[in-house]
Amino acid sequence: MAIIEKLWQYLQFEFVQNALVVGVLIALCSSLLGVTLVLKRFSFIGDGLSHVAFGAMAVAGILGLTNEMILVMPITVIAAIVLLAAGKNVKIKGDASLAMLSVASLGIGYLLLNIFSSSGNVSGDVCSTLFGSTLILTLSKFDVCLCIVMSVIVILIFVFFYNRIFAVTFDETFTAATGTKASLYNLLIAVVTAVIIVLAMNLVGSLLISALVIFPALSAMRVFKSFKKVVICAAAVSVICSLTGILISIMASTPVGSTIVAIDIVVFMIFALIGRR
Amino acid sequence: MAQLICSDVTLGYEGKTVTENLNFEVNAGDYLCIVGENGAGKSTLIKALLGLKNPMSGTITTGERLKSTEIGYLPQQTLIQKDFPASVKEIVLSGLLNKCGLRPFYTKEQKEFAKKQMERLNIAHLSSKCYRELSGGQQQRVLLARALCATGKMLLLDEPVAGLDPKVTKEMYELISSLNKEDGITVIMVSHDITAAVKYASHILHISHTPLFFGKKEDYIKTDIGKSFTEAMGGEE
Ligand SMILES: Nc1ncnc2c1ncn2[C@@H]1O[C@H](COP(=O)(O)OP(=O)(O)O)[C@@H](O)[C@H]1O
Ligand SMILES: [Mg+2]
């Protein structure tokens, strides 16, 4: 009883409400696209892009931008386009170029932060950017609005292009051969992925984004066998895990990102067990 | 007017020629079989016919009644599909995408049409089954139904019977043949199996690095190359 009362108290705070709204939206977006990314064998794109976003964040911080998103969003989107769309042409090296870009951004970003940062607690800042320790509880009004607007756009795009995204994911060659602009939709997927990555950095930090993207999709794929059901289930799993994770982390003062990921893993194991029967 | 004309086509990758001097045409209702050893460039030719790959030289033109998007395609099986969670219905419907224009969803008529194609190919009862749990023969039928949704005019099939057992292979050949004869769909099929090619096709294109033969199958079996292959195949059986 005491727990529920305490929870109720927390829910009165605006920052908790913000965190929950943002958390649910980000979880929803990342799981929708996650199914496509997993099936297209792009799971690591999320990881790579989040490192790029980290590097961009470092640069934005040094330049003293009040709104880091203005720089971080475009840079990540461009990186995604280069990796996903152009990477097709240099297929063999796609893997290596992703790894290269990702570690380079991480390394340079950290280096720049150390050299130029005015803050006394560089490692603390870096840690929270990487693991999103308390970020989501300190969102500014602007961040919350941006997140809501972008999430709604992503969800609308996904619903509107659902059939096309399915076709491109299942069989790109056939889709292109029968007159649908497959490369255009690949580009769309790349851009949306980048947007989600940047948004998700708020929730779980850049190191844990992949978990948010792939675990719900993988869980759903253990149990369900049609694309639509997998997408719906992944979305539900992701939202529930994030909600639970945020609430637990507030109550138990654990880091938000890793709590959500831990719950995602538990759910995955449960689904894997169910799927084996 | 031919549906598809290839004149002086040379195909290759990154400046390296795979096959050259391809000259042939396909008329409505033809059943053309493309044969040749592994690596001869059969799949490459199919990709070029679909407009997925530009020829290094020469031209491929489609006839006035056939838009380039009106070609149905059955790809050589790719690995990525093996663990894909997709129901038969979802896959067959995706063939209709090129008729959707700007509409985001499929109409009732389109769903009805997809159902008809599934019935035509005897897979209607599998409609909500998962693709990856079907047998090889059933999977090929699903992809064929999807191709039929994309077109009623011309089908391009890249080794549609690879990996199927003899009984299912025969069923598949009969099915393709009936689509050609009864529904008047032009068929262009890549195959290793020259015996079957000679049995079902109306025309044969035999390619190697240069084209070895193009023409009616009756003429093909009289040529030296045709003889040597059909006899070799016959001897194996
Ligand atoms: N994407 C590619 N890049 C470079 N070379 C290729 C590519 N695809 C096929 N090839 C080469 O082109 C030749 C013809 O291949 P393909 O058309 O698949 O042959 P077939 O289908 O007749 O067995 C082969 O020698 C192959 O190595
Ligand atoms: Mg081939």
Side-chain angles (χ1 to χ4, degrees):
Chain A
M1 239 27 229
I3 293 182
I4 293 178
E5 229 162 74
K6 197 174 164 200
L7 196 63
W8 186 247
Q9 248 173 23
Y10 275 120
L11 285 176
Q12 308 303 313
F13 292 115
E14 201 185 334
F15 75 91
V16 175
Q17 293 165 4
N18 282 345
L20 287 178
V21 170
V22 168
V24 165
L25 285 174
I26 291 173
L28 191 58
C29 291
S30 55
S31 61
L32 289 181
L33 256 286
V35 178
T36 299
L37 294 181
V38 166
L39 290 170
K40 270 179 154 298
R41 305 293 187 266
F42 285 164
S43 302
F44 264 105
I45 293 270
D47 217 42
L49 287 180
S50 65
H51 293 180
V52 173
F54 170 81
M57 201 86 120
V59 173
I62 291 160
L63 294 176
L65 297 179
T66 38
N67 265 309
E68 290 154 340
M69 290 296 151
I70 293 166
L71 189 72
V72 177
M73 195 71 95
I75 290 185
T76 315
V77 167
I78 290 169
I81 293 172
V82 171
L83 285 176
L84 271 178
K88 283 263 128 140
N89 303 331
V90 280
K91 216 164 199 169
I92 316 130
K93 296 174 208 148
D95 213 30
S97 62
L98 175 61
M100 210 171 68
L101 192 62
S102 120
V103 288
S105 331
L106 200 59
I108 301 289
Y110 186 52
L111 189 63
L112 289 177
L113 273 180
N114 263 289
I115 298 173
F116 294 106
S117 181
S118 47
S119 140
N121 183 13
V122 175
S123 35
D125 286 354
V126 171
C127 191
S128 71
T129 319
L130 288 180
F131 294 101
S133 42
T134 52
L135 274 176
I136 194 170
L137 298 176
T138 57
L139 291 175
S140 70
K141 195 112 206 155
F142 177 81
D143 283 340
V144 174
C145 290
L146 183 76
C147 187
I148 292 175
V149 171
M150 294 310 254
S151 306
V152 171
I153 293 176
V154 167
I155 293 167
L156 286 180
I157 287 179
F158 188 84
V159 171
F160 195 82
F161 291 108
Y162 170 79
N163 285 320
R164 288 164 173 81
I165 291 176
F166 168 77
V168 172
T169 312
F170 180 69
D171 191 343
E172 204 176 309
T173 318
F174 178 87
T175 313
T178 50
T180 302
K181 300 238 173 328
S183 49
L184 193 72
Y185 292 107
N186 269 335
L187 201 68
L188 184 76
I189 292 172
V191 171
V192 172
T193 305
V195 171
I196 291 172
I197 296 292
V198 174
L199 293 180
M201 272 182 81
N202 289 323
L203 182 58
V204 293
S206 52
L207 279 188
L208 297 176
I209 286 175
S210 288
L212 207 60
V213 172
I214 62 174
F215 270 117
L218 288 176
S219 301
M221 281 165 63
R222 292 298 118 179
V223 176
F224 292 101
K225 282 158 189 173
S226 88
F227 191 74
K228 195 184 242 164
K229 283 181 190 157
V230 167
V231 166
I232 293 172
C233 172
V237 164
S238 183
V239 167
I240 291 169
C241 288
S242 295
L243 269 183
T244 325
I246 294 172
L247 289 178
I248 289 180
S249 76
I250 292 173
M251 308 280 290
S253 314
T254 51
V256 183
S258 16
T259 311
I260 295 176
V261 172
I263 294 173
D264 269 325
I265 293 169
V266 170
V267 170
F268 172 76
M269 291 198 284
I270 294 171
F271 273 62
L273 276 182
I274 297 172
R276 282 180 66 170
R277 278 192 298 133
Chain B
M1 175 83 195
Q3 265 183 330
L4 194 70
I5 304 170
C6 261
S7 36
D8 287 325
V9 169
T10 299
L11 299 169
Y13 294 92
E14 288 135 28
K16 273 204 203 128
T17 309
V18 171
T19 176
E20 54 191 353
N21 295 327
L22 289 169
N23 278 295
F24 63 92
E25 54 177 64
V26 181
N27 291 294
D30 280 358
Y31 187 148
L32 170 68
C33 226
I34 303 173
V35 294
E37 74 243 45
N38 266 332
K42 304 182 297 290
S43 298
T44 310
L45 175 59
I46 292 285
K47 294 224 172 82
L49 296 181
L50 287 166
L52 296 173
K53 184 170 180 5
N54 291 325
M56 285 162 70
S57 67
T59 52
I60 297 169
T61 38
T62 49
E64 47 190 295
R65 298 258 181 80
L66 185 78
K67 285 197 221 108
S68 63
T69 55
E70 280 181 318
I71 303 178
Y73 173 47
L74 189 70
Q76 211 168 354
Q77 203 92 358
T78 47
L79 278 174
I80 197 159
Q81 295 163 7
K82 290 268 151 72
D83 65 342
F84 201 103
S87 69
V88 169
K89 200 161 111 195
E90 286 176 319
I91 294 172
V92 175
L93 266 173
S94 75
L96 286 162
L97 202 59
N98 58 355
K99 300 197 178 71
C100 277
L102 290 174
R103 243 181 304 113
F105 304 110
Y106 302 115
T107 62
K108 225 185 202 140
E109 290 81 51
Q110 287 181 315
K111 286 180 185 161
E112 205 49 44
F113 183 81
K115 208 170 141 207
K116 277 215 192 84
Q117 304 311 313
M118 287 193 269
E119 278 159 12
R120 171 93 177 77
L121 301 187
N122 258 328
I123 49 169
H125 60 290
L126 302 172
S127 158
S128 53
K129 277 258 158 57
C130 174
Y131 176 79
R132 64 171 187 245
E133 286 170 356
L134 303 180
S135 72
Q138 289 170 329
Q139 288 187 342
Q140 288 300 76
R141 277 167 193 257
V142 172
L143 297 186
L144 192 56
R146 177 182 66 165
L148 285 176
C149 280
T151 181
K153 289 180 182 166
M154 181 183 277
L155 283 177
L156 260 62
L157 315 166
D158 196 349
E159 311 217 4
V161 297
L164 302 184
D165 66 50
K167 179 168 166 285
V168 181
T169 298
K170 188 157 183 302
E171 282 170 13
M172 195 72 188
Y173 279 137
E174 297 289 344
L175 185 62
I176 294 166
S177 182
S178 82
L179 288 172
N180 174 248
K181 292 222 174 62
E182 287 160 30
D183 303 27
I185 297 173
T186 313
V187 173
I188 301 180
M189 180 169 89
V190 169
S191 173
H192 267 117
D193 182 355
I194 298 194
T195 326
V198 169
K199 183 169 172 206
Y200 293 101
S202 67
H203 292 74
I204 306 260
L205 173 67
H206 192 136
I207 58 173
S208 180
H209 297 296
T210 52
L212 298 176
F213 178 85
F214 171 71
K216 289 212 158 72
K217 76 158 178 221
E218 290 79 10
D219 301 328
Y220 178 72
I221 41 182
K222 285 183 209 136
T223 61
D224 285 344
I225 165 127
K227 259 187 209 146
S228 68
F229 273 96
T230 40
E231 273 161 19
M233 292 277 173
E236 271 170 29
E237 273 175 13

